């Protein structure tokens, strides 16, 4: 792991210029002066998302594990501010710098991240590093073929629509996933999985039924869509999910809140709402 900054800097800080949502991005601090029982402080300013949705970890060389930093969030300002800290002791010098590996992950919305690093040596001295910034972005998602106020007739023809995910970041997404969700209820009953027929077109296999699963105690439902692109999704690459939806003949007449979501691992990247009405005719 290379040291960050110049030989004249007692403390320097490095941050990757891009921090795509859901992916760990590299960061580090480099110390070039001896410190005993010091405290490194990362003052974070976020624009477009709250600092509480930001994760920062350091690599512990003794345990070979990534460890969460201690954190305080203001939660009262716009842009939002947070403070991440960790202890550091080192016999570092300009000729023998000590570097601590860090990593950063945003899990909310796009925006911008600014970090100012400093260290308090515990003896009345504080050393600062130049501020670094990163763009927090994500792949773009678009839906075509679905109009506002769409209606589906019970027992009628299916409606086709497409979800397109384009990786507009400079990083590959290794675990891209997409899902369809729906919820509807009238005075008599809720919409259940047997009321909706969701199919997805898979190249080389044609139209495949996609199972909708009840949402536990919530009468809503969801379905994991079949992956359609190579993994990981490279920068500039596109994943297209082609779907069609029909309604069973005995489904309730009701307004349905529905949509599609895109994520990576356990992190949600984006969602699009696709509401519709179930009609008798």
């Amino acid at each position: 792991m290379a040291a960050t900054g110049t030989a004249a800097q007692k403390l320097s800080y490095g941050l990757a210029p891009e921090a795509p949502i859901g992916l760990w991005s590299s960061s580090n601090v480099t110390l070039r002066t001896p410190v005993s029982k010091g405290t490194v402080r990362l003052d974070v300013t976020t624009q477009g998302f709250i600092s509480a949705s930001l994760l920062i970890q350091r690599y512990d060389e003794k345990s070979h594990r990534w460890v969460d930093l201690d954190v305080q969030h203001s939660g009262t300002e716009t842009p939002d501010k947070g403070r991440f800290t960790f202890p550091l002791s080192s016999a570092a010098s300009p000729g023998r710098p000590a570097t601590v590996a860090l990593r950063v992950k945003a899990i909310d919305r796009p925006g911008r991240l600014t970090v100012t690093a400093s260290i308090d040596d515990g003896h009345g001295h504080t050393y600062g590093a130049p501020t670094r910034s990163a763009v927090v972005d994500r792949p773009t998602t678009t839906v075509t073929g679905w109009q506002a106020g769409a209606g589906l007739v019970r027992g009628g023809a299916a409606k086709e629509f497409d979800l397109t995910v384009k990786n507009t970041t400079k990083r590959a997404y290794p675990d891209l996933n997409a899902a369809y969700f729906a919820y509807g209820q009238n005075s008599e009953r809720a919409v259940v999985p047997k009321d909706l027929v969701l199919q997805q077109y898979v190249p080389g296999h044609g139209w495949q039924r996609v199972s909708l699963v009840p949402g536990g105690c919530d009468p809503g439902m969801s379905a994991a869509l079949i992956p359609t692109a190579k993994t990981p999704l490279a920068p500039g690459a596109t994943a297209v999910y082609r779907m069609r939806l029909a309604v069973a003949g005995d489904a309730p007449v009701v307004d349905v809140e529905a949509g599609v979501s895109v994520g990576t691992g356990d992190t949600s990247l984006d969602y699009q709402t696709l509401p519709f009405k179930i009609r008798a005719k």
Side-chain angles (χ1 to χ4, degrees), residues 46-90:
T46 59
Q47 295 177 305
F49 59 96
I50 60 174
S51 64
S53 69
L54 186 70
L55 307 175
I56 303 182
Q57 296 181 333
R58 67 176 175 87
Y59 186 72
D60 184 353
E61 294 187 353
K62 291 183 178 180
S63 64
H64 304 289
R65 296 173 55 246
W66 288 97
V67 179
D68 292 337
L69 302 191
D70 294 332
V71 59
Q72 293 179 335
H73 299 290
S74 66
T76 59
E77 299 182 39
T78 302
D80 197 67
K81 297 183 183 295
R83 178 180 300 169
F84 296 78
T85 60
F86 64 95
L88 180 61
S89 296
S90 175

Short mmCIF file of all heavy atoms in Angstrom, two decimals, residues 46-90:
data_model
loop_
_atom_site.label_atom_id
_atom_site.label_comp_id
_atom_site.label_asym_id
_atom_site.label_seq_id
_atom_site.Cartn_x
_atom_site.Cartn_y
_atom_site.Cartn_z
N THR A 46 -21.53 15.97 3.50
CA THR A 46 -22.22 15.30 2.40
C THR A 46 -23.26 16.22 1.80
O THR A 46 -23.93 16.97 2.50
CB THR A 46 -22.91 14.00 2.88
OG1 THR A 46 -23.85 14.32 3.90
CG2 THR A 46 -21.89 13.02 3.42
N GLN A 47 -23.40 16.15 0.49
CA GLN A 47 -24.42 16.90 -0.24
C GLN A 47 -25.22 15.91 -1.07
O GLN A 47 -24.66 15.13 -1.83
CB GLN A 47 -23.79 17.96 -1.14
CG GLN A 47 -23.06 19.06 -0.37
CD GLN A 47 -22.39 20.05 -1.29
OE1 GLN A 47 -21.60 19.68 -2.14
NE2 GLN A 47 -22.69 21.33 -1.10
N GLY A 48 -26.55 15.95 -0.92
CA GLY A 48 -27.41 15.05 -1.66
C GLY A 48 -27.85 13.85 -0.86
O GLY A 48 -28.79 13.15 -1.23
N PHE A 49 -27.16 13.55 0.23
CA PHE A 49 -27.50 12.44 1.10
C PHE A 49 -27.01 12.75 2.50
O PHE A 49 -26.19 13.65 2.70
CB PHE A 49 -26.90 11.12 0.60
CG PHE A 49 -25.40 11.13 0.48
CD1 PHE A 49 -24.61 10.63 1.50
CD2 PHE A 49 -24.76 11.66 -0.63
CE1 PHE A 49 -23.22 10.64 1.41
CE2 PHE A 49 -23.38 11.68 -0.75
CZ PHE A 49 -22.61 11.16 0.28
N ILE A 50 -27.50 12.01 3.49
CA ILE A 50 -27.14 12.28 4.87
C ILE A 50 -25.85 11.53 5.24
O ILE A 50 -25.58 10.44 4.74
CB ILE A 50 -28.27 11.90 5.84
CG1 ILE A 50 -28.62 10.41 5.74
CG2 ILE A 50 -29.50 12.75 5.58
CD1 ILE A 50 -29.62 9.95 6.79
N SER A 51 -25.08 12.12 6.12
CA SER A 51 -23.82 11.49 6.53
C SER A 51 -24.04 10.18 7.26
O SER A 51 -23.17 9.32 7.29
CB SER A 51 -23.00 12.45 7.40
OG SER A 51 -23.68 12.73 8.62
N ALA A 52 -25.23 10.00 7.87
CA ALA A 52 -25.53 8.76 8.59
C ALA A 52 -25.62 7.57 7.65
O ALA A 52 -25.58 6.42 8.09
CB ALA A 52 -26.83 8.90 9.37
N SER A 53 -25.76 7.81 6.34
CA SER A 53 -25.81 6.72 5.37
C SER A 53 -24.43 6.39 4.80
O SER A 53 -24.32 5.58 3.88
CB SER A 53 -26.76 7.07 4.23
OG SER A 53 -26.24 8.12 3.44
N LEU A 54 -23.39 7.01 5.34
CA LEU A 54 -22.03 6.78 4.88
C LEU A 54 -21.30 5.83 5.84
O LEU A 54 -21.40 5.98 7.06
CB LEU A 54 -21.27 8.11 4.81
CG LEU A 54 -19.87 8.06 4.22
CD1 LEU A 54 -19.93 7.79 2.73
CD2 LEU A 54 -19.14 9.38 4.49
N LEU A 55 -20.60 4.86 5.29
CA LEU A 55 -19.81 3.93 6.08
C LEU A 55 -18.33 4.15 5.81
O LEU A 55 -17.92 4.29 4.66
CB LEU A 55 -20.17 2.48 5.73
CG LEU A 55 -21.65 2.09 5.79
CD1 LEU A 55 -21.82 0.66 5.30
CD2 LEU A 55 -22.19 2.26 7.19
N ILE A 56 -17.52 4.21 6.87
CA ILE A 56 -16.07 4.29 6.73
C ILE A 56 -15.44 3.26 7.66
O ILE A 56 -15.80 3.16 8.84
CB ILE A 56 -15.52 5.70 7.07
CG1 ILE A 56 -16.17 6.76 6.18
CG2 ILE A 56 -14.00 5.72 6.87
CD1 ILE A 56 -15.65 8.16 6.41
N GLN A 57 -14.51 2.48 7.13
CA GLN A 57 -13.82 1.45 7.89
C GLN A 57 -12.32 1.60 7.71
O GLN A 57 -11.84 2.13 6.72
CB GLN A 57 -14.25 0.05 7.44
CG GLN A 57 -15.71 -0.27 7.66
CD GLN A 57 -16.07 -1.67 7.21
OE1 GLN A 57 -15.44 -2.23 6.31
NE2 GLN A 57 -17.09 -2.26 7.83
N ARG A 58 -11.57 1.11 8.72
CA ARG A 58 -10.11 1.04 8.62
C ARG A 58 -9.68 -0.42 8.67
O ARG A 58 -10.37 -1.26 9.25
CB ARG A 58 -9.43 1.81 9.75
CG ARG A 58 -9.64 1.23 11.12
CD ARG A 58 -8.85 2.00 12.18
NE ARG A 58 -9.14 1.50 13.52
CZ ARG A 58 -8.49 0.48 14.09
NH1 ARG A 58 -7.51 -0.15 13.43
NH2 ARG A 58 -8.81 0.07 15.31
N TYR A 59 -8.54 -0.70 8.06
CA TYR A 59 -8.04 -2.07 8.08
C TYR A 59 -7.12 -2.26 9.27
O TYR A 59 -6.15 -1.53 9.46
CB TYR A 59 -7.27 -2.38 6.79
CG TYR A 59 -6.85 -3.82 6.69
CD1 TYR A 59 -7.79 -4.81 6.44
CD2 TYR A 59 -5.51 -4.20 6.87
CE1 TYR A 59 -7.41 -6.14 6.36
CE2 TYR A 59 -5.13 -5.52 6.79
CZ TYR A 59 -6.09 -6.48 6.53
OH TYR A 59 -5.71 -7.81 6.46
N ASP A 60 -7.45 -3.25 10.11
CA ASP A 60 -6.66 -3.58 11.29
C ASP A 60 -5.67 -4.68 10.91
O ASP A 60 -6.07 -5.82 10.67
CB ASP A 60 -7.58 -4.05 12.41
CG ASP A 60 -6.83 -4.32 13.71
OD1 ASP A 60 -5.58 -4.27 13.70
OD2 ASP A 60 -7.48 -4.59 14.73
N GLU A 61 -4.39 -4.32 10.85
CA GLU A 61 -3.38 -5.28 10.40
C GLU A 61 -3.18 -6.42 11.39
O GLU A 61 -2.74 -7.51 11.00
CB GLU A 61 -2.06 -4.57 10.12
CG GLU A 61 -2.13 -3.60 8.95
CD GLU A 61 -0.78 -3.04 8.59
OE1 GLU A 61 0.19 -3.30 9.34
OE2 GLU A 61 -0.68 -2.34 7.57
N LYS A 62 -3.49 -6.19 12.67
CA LYS A 62 -3.30 -7.26 13.66
C LYS A 62 -4.35 -8.36 13.50
O LYS A 62 -4.03 -9.54 13.52
CB LYS A 62 -3.35 -6.68 15.07
CG LYS A 62 -2.17 -5.80 15.42
CD LYS A 62 -2.25 -5.32 16.86
CE LYS A 62 -1.04 -4.48 17.23
NZ LYS A 62 -1.11 -3.99 18.63
N SER A 63 -5.60 -7.96 13.33
CA SER A 63 -6.68 -8.95 13.20
C SER A 63 -7.00 -9.29 11.75
O SER A 63 -7.77 -10.21 11.50
CB SER A 63 -7.95 -8.42 13.88
OG SER A 63 -8.42 -7.26 13.22
N HIS A 64 -6.42 -8.52 10.81
CA HIS A 64 -6.70 -8.72 9.38
C HIS A 64 -8.19 -8.57 9.10
O HIS A 64 -8.77 -9.34 8.34
CB HIS A 64 -6.19 -10.08 8.89
CG HIS A 64 -4.73 -10.30 9.14
ND1 HIS A 64 -3.75 -9.63 8.43
CD2 HIS A 64 -4.09 -11.10 10.04
CE1 HIS A 64 -2.56 -10.02 8.87
NE2 HIS A 64 -2.74 -10.90 9.85
N ARG A 65 -8.79 -7.57 9.72
CA ARG A 65 -10.22 -7.32 9.57
C ARG A 65 -10.46 -5.83 9.32
O ARG A 65 -9.68 -4.98 9.74
CB ARG A 65 -11.01 -7.75 10.81
CG ARG A 65 -10.97 -9.24 11.11
CD ARG A 65 -11.62 -9.56 12.45
NE ARG A 65 -12.99 -9.04 12.55
CZ ARG A 65 -13.39 -8.08 13.38
NH1 ARG A 65 -12.51 -7.52 14.20
NH2 ARG A 65 -14.64 -7.68 13.41
N TRP A 66 -11.58 -5.56 8.63
CA TRP A 66 -12.04 -4.18 8.48
C TRP A 66 -12.90 -3.82 9.68
O TRP A 66 -13.78 -4.58 10.07
CB TRP A 66 -12.83 -4.01 7.19
CG TRP A 66 -11.97 -4.06 5.96
CD1 TRP A 66 -11.75 -5.13 5.16
CD2 TRP A 66 -11.21 -2.98 5.42
NE1 TRP A 66 -10.89 -4.80 4.14
CE2 TRP A 66 -10.55 -3.47 4.27
CE3 TRP A 66 -11.01 -1.64 5.77
CZ2 TRP A 66 -9.71 -2.68 3.49
CZ3 TRP A 66 -10.19 -0.86 4.99
CH2 TRP A 66 -9.54 -1.37 3.86
N VAL A 67 -12.64 -2.65 10.26
CA VAL A 67 -13.29 -2.23 11.51
C VAL A 67 -14.01 -0.90 11.27
O VAL A 67 -13.43 0.04 10.71
CB VAL A 67 -12.26 -2.08 12.64
CG1 VAL A 67 -12.93 -1.63 13.93
CG2 VAL A 67 -11.48 -3.38 12.85
N ASP A 68 -15.26 -0.81 11.72
CA ASP A 68 -16.01 0.45 11.62
C ASP A 68 -15.36 1.54 12.47
O ASP A 68 -14.91 1.28 13.59
CB ASP A 68 -17.45 0.26 12.10
CG ASP A 68 -18.26 -0.63 11.18
OD1 ASP A 68 -17.90 -0.75 10.00
OD2 ASP A 68 -19.26 -1.21 11.66
N LEU A 69 -15.33 2.76 11.96
CA LEU A 69 -14.83 3.88 12.74
C LEU A 69 -15.90 4.40 13.68
O LEU A 69 -17.10 4.32 13.40
CB LEU A 69 -14.39 5.02 11.81
CG LEU A 69 -13.32 4.71 10.76
CD1 LEU A 69 -12.85 6.02 10.13
CD2 LEU A 69 -12.15 3.96 11.37
N ASP A 70 -15.46 4.95 14.82
CA ASP A 70 -16.38 5.65 15.69
C ASP A 70 -16.93 6.87 14.96
O ASP A 70 -16.19 7.54 14.22
CB ASP A 70 -15.68 6.10 16.97
CG ASP A 70 -15.24 4.92 17.84
OD1 ASP A 70 -15.90 3.86 17.78
OD2 ASP A 70 -14.24 5.06 18.57
N VAL A 71 -18.22 7.17 15.15
CA VAL A 71 -18.82 8.22 14.34
C VAL A 71 -19.82 9.04 15.15
O VAL A 71 -20.49 8.53 16.05
CB VAL A 71 -19.51 7.61 13.09
CG1 VAL A 71 -20.59 6.61 13.50
CG2 VAL A 71 -20.08 8.68 12.19
N GLN A 72 -19.89 10.33 14.81
CA GLN A 72 -20.89 11.24 15.34
C GLN A 72 -21.49 11.99 14.16
O GLN A 72 -20.76 12.46 13.27
CB GLN A 72 -20.28 12.24 16.32
CG GLN A 72 -19.77 11.63 17.61
CD GLN A 72 -19.16 12.69 18.52
OE1 GLN A 72 -18.71 13.73 18.07
NE2 GLN A 72 -19.16 12.42 19.81
N HIS A 73 -22.83 12.10 14.12
CA HIS A 73 -23.51 12.82 13.04
C HIS A 73 -24.23 14.02 13.62
O HIS A 73 -24.83 13.95 14.69
CB HIS A 73 -24.52 11.91 12.34
CG HIS A 73 -23.89 10.71 11.70
ND1 HIS A 73 -23.09 10.79 10.58
CD2 HIS A 73 -23.95 9.39 12.04
CE1 HIS A 73 -22.69 9.58 10.24
NE2 HIS A 73 -23.18 8.72 11.11
N SER A 74 -24.17 15.13 12.89
CA SER A 74 -24.86 16.33 13.37
C SER A 74 -26.36 16.21 13.13
O SER A 74 -27.16 16.49 14.01
CB SER A 74 -24.32 17.58 12.65
OG SER A 74 -24.64 17.54 11.27
N GLY A 75 -26.74 15.80 11.93
CA GLY A 75 -28.15 15.62 11.60
C GLY A 75 -28.97 16.89 11.66
O GLY A 75 -30.19 16.85 11.62
N THR A 76 -28.32 18.06 11.74
CA THR A 76 -29.07 19.30 11.89
C THR A 76 -28.73 20.33 10.82
O THR A 76 -29.29 21.41 10.81
CB THR A 76 -28.78 19.93 13.25
OG1 THR A 76 -27.37 20.19 13.38
CG2 THR A 76 -29.22 19.01 14.38
N GLU A 77 -27.84 19.99 9.91
CA GLU A 77 -27.38 20.97 8.93
C GLU A 77 -27.56 20.45 7.52
O GLU A 77 -27.61 19.26 7.27
CB GLU A 77 -25.91 21.32 9.16
CG GLU A 77 -25.62 21.93 10.51
CD GLU A 77 -24.16 22.30 10.65
OE1 GLU A 77 -23.57 22.78 9.68
OE2 GLU A 77 -23.61 22.09 11.74
N THR A 78 -27.67 21.37 6.56
CA THR A 78 -27.68 21.05 5.14
C THR A 78 -26.65 21.93 4.46
O THR A 78 -26.78 23.15 4.48
CB THR A 78 -29.07 21.29 4.54
OG1 THR A 78 -30.03 20.51 5.24
CG2 THR A 78 -29.08 20.90 3.08
N PRO A 79 -25.58 21.40 3.90
CA PRO A 79 -25.29 19.97 3.80
C PRO A 79 -25.03 19.32 5.17
O PRO A 79 -24.73 20.00 6.12
CB PRO A 79 -24.04 19.92 2.92
CG PRO A 79 -23.40 21.26 3.09
CD PRO A 79 -24.53 22.23 3.30
N ASP A 80 -25.15 18.00 5.19
CA ASP A 80 -25.05 17.26 6.44
C ASP A 80 -23.59 17.02 6.80
O ASP A 80 -22.72 16.89 5.92
CB ASP A 80 -25.77 15.92 6.30
CG ASP A 80 -26.06 15.30 7.65
OD1 ASP A 80 -26.88 15.87 8.39
OD2 ASP A 80 -25.47 14.26 7.97
N LYS A 81 -23.31 16.92 8.11
CA LYS A 81 -21.94 16.74 8.56
C LYS A 81 -21.83 15.55 9.50
O LYS A 81 -22.76 15.23 10.23
CB LYS A 81 -21.44 18.01 9.26
CG LYS A 81 -21.37 19.23 8.34
CD LYS A 81 -20.80 20.43 9.06
CE LYS A 81 -20.80 21.66 8.15
NZ LYS A 81 -19.89 21.48 7.01
N GLY A 82 -20.68 14.91 9.47
CA GLY A 82 -20.39 13.80 10.36
C GLY A 82 -18.92 13.80 10.73
O GLY A 82 -18.09 14.44 10.05
N ARG A 83 -18.58 13.11 11.80
CA ARG A 83 -17.19 13.04 12.25
C ARG A 83 -16.85 11.58 12.55
O ARG A 83 -17.49 10.93 13.38
CB ARG A 83 -16.98 13.89 13.50
CG ARG A 83 -15.55 13.83 14.07
CD ARG A 83 -15.43 14.71 15.31
NE ARG A 83 -15.73 16.10 14.98
CZ ARG A 83 -15.92 17.05 15.89
NH1 ARG A 83 -15.88 16.75 17.18
NH2 ARG A 83 -16.17 18.28 15.53
N PHE A 84 -15.83 11.06 11.87
CA PHE A 84 -15.37 9.69 12.05
C PHE A 84 -13.98 9.75 12.69
O PHE A 84 -13.13 10.54 12.25
CB PHE A 84 -15.29 8.96 10.72
CG PHE A 84 -16.62 8.77 10.03
CD1 PHE A 84 -17.21 9.82 9.34
CD2 PHE A 84 -17.28 7.55 10.08
CE1 PHE A 84 -18.44 9.66 8.70
CE2 PHE A 84 -18.50 7.38 9.44
CZ PHE A 84 -19.08 8.43 8.75
N THR A 85 -13.74 8.92 13.72
CA THR A 85 -12.45 8.95 14.41
C THR A 85 -11.93 7.55 14.67
O THR A 85 -12.68 6.58 14.70
CB THR A 85 -12.58 9.67 15.76
OG1 THR A 85 -13.53 8.99 16.58
CG2 THR A 85 -13.01 11.12 15.58
N PHE A 86 -10.60 7.47 14.85
CA PHE A 86 -9.97 6.22 15.30
C PHE A 86 -8.63 6.54 15.94
O PHE A 86 -7.98 7.54 15.60
CB PHE A 86 -9.81 5.22 14.14
CG PHE A 86 -8.88 5.66 13.03
CD1 PHE A 86 -7.55 5.27 13.04
CD2 PHE A 86 -9.36 6.42 11.98
CE1 PHE A 86 -6.70 5.64 12.00
CE2 PHE A 86 -8.51 6.80 10.94
CZ PHE A 86 -7.18 6.41 10.96
N PRO A 87 -8.18 5.72 16.88
CA PRO A 87 -6.90 5.97 17.56
C PRO A 87 -5.73 5.57 16.67
O PRO A 87 -5.82 4.65 15.87
CB PRO A 87 -6.99 5.08 18.79
CG PRO A 87 -7.87 3.96 18.38
CD PRO A 87 -8.88 4.54 17.44
N LEU A 88 -4.62 6.28 16.85
CA LEU A 88 -3.42 5.95 16.08
C LEU A 88 -2.18 6.32 16.87
O LEU A 88 -2.04 7.45 17.34
CB LEU A 88 -3.42 6.68 14.74
CG LEU A 88 -2.22 6.43 13.82
CD1 LEU A 88 -2.13 4.96 13.44
CD2 LEU A 88 -2.31 7.30 12.57
N SER A 89 -1.27 5.35 17.03
CA SER A 89 0.05 5.58 17.62
C SER A 89 1.08 5.06 16.64
O SER A 89 0.91 3.98 16.06
CB SER A 89 0.19 4.85 18.96
OG SER A 89 -0.72 5.37 19.91
N SER A 90 2.15 5.84 16.43
CA SER A 90 3.14 5.42 15.45
C SER A 90 4.45 6.17 15.67
O SER A 90 4.46 7.32 16.12
CB SER A 90 2.63 5.69 14.03
OG SER A 90 3.62 5.41 13.07
#
